[in-house]
């Protein structure tokens, strides 16, 4: 914190607030906060770890709002939460050992396809559809690998979760976004735990940014619950394409 000026701190907090709003609606807030932390001079591992701390505040705030304003707790989420936690923990532990070049090449292409799905598929709406996969299989086949990806690499994990929940569990877009925030919170906490055990988290900075992100996330969740697919769908397309472009250019 000694090397961060007051002006830079305000910039980071403003970025965190905007990221929280965007992330609560469509995911992708890490596209704003992680580059900002790196630009502020944090080493990459500290930036990743501190970003997980502030991201946990945002996903917690959004999750609470979705739980209070929707009926997502009627769904049996524990298998999904458990698989996501184990996947994220595994990804965080493996991040220093596995190369990410393949992910950097494949993920942008997947996100482009996902954005087209969100843009054109009639299933992406405020109407529920038939469930195509049992929860146990969904947890094993989707939640564990997406959680692993979130702990290992990160960008676009929220979009992956939303797409999977809409396409395979049949939830409407608002419900799917709420479920995704709970799974995002799970993966953030799992990654934060193992980053903290490694001593990589800047707690004071992360807590300040986390409070700012929580405020933005509450507003974003409020907009998503109130306006449903009308606000979620275009942001999902924009964020997915933005993540793709950023990964292709880095």
């Amino acid at each position: 914190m000694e090397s961060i000026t007051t002006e830079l701190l305000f910039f980071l907090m403003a970025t965190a607030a905007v990221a929280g709003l965007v992330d609560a609606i469509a995911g992708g807030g890490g596209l704003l906060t992680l580059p900002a932390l790196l630009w502020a001079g944090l080493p990459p591992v500290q930036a990743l770890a501190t970003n997980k701390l502030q991201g946990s505040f945002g996903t917690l705030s959004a999750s609470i709002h979705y739980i209070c304003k929707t009926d997502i707790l009627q769904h049996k989420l524990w298998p999904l939460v458990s698989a996501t936690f184990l996947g994220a923990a595994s990804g965080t532990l493996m991040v220093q050992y596995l190369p990410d070049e393949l992910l950097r090449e494949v993920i942008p292409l997947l996100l482009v396809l996902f954005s087209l799905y969100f843009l054109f598929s009639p299933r992406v709406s405020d109407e529920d559809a038939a469930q195509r996969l049992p929860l146990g299989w969904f947890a094993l086949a989707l939640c564990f690998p997406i959680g692993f990806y979130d702990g290992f690499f990160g960008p676009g994990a929220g979009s992956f979760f939303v797409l999977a929940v809409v396409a395979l569990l049949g939830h409407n877009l608002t419900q799917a976004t709420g479920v995704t925030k709970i799974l995002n919170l799970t993966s953030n906490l799992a990654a934060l735990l193992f980053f903290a055990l490694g001593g990589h988290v800047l707690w004071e900075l992360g807590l300040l940014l986390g409070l700012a992100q929580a405020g933005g996330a509450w507003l974003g969740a409020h907009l998503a619950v109130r306006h449903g697919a009308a606000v979620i769908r275009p942001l999902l397309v924009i964020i997915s394409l933005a993540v793709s472009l950023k990964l292709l250019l880095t």
Side-chain angles (χ1 to χ4, degrees), residues 222-237:
H222 174 78
L223 292 173
V225 170
R226 184 170 183 177
H227 298 288
V231 68
I232 299 173
R233 181 179 222 158
L235 266 181
L236 279 169
V237 174

Side-chain angles (χ1 to χ4, degrees), residues 123 127-133 164-172:
R123 288 174 58 84
E127 299 296 328
D128 290 328
Q131 182 173 333
R132 297 184 175 187
L133 199 66
V165 173
V166 169
L168 298 177
L169 294 186
H171 295 339
N172 65 63

Side-chain angles (χ1 to χ4, degrees), residues 159-179:
S159 300
F160 295 158
F161 273 129
V162 173
L163 173 63
V165 173
V166 169
L168 298 177
L169 294 186
H171 295 339
N172 65 63
L173 194 51
T174 303
Q175 290 276 352
T177 305
V179 171

Side-chain angles (χ1 to χ4, degrees), residues 178-198:
V179 171
T180 291
K181 288 307 104 184
I182 293 176
L183 299 181
N184 278 151
L185 173 62
T186 301
S187 60
N188 279 340
L189 290 177
L192 176 61
L193 172 63
F194 287 95
F195 275 130
L197 290 174

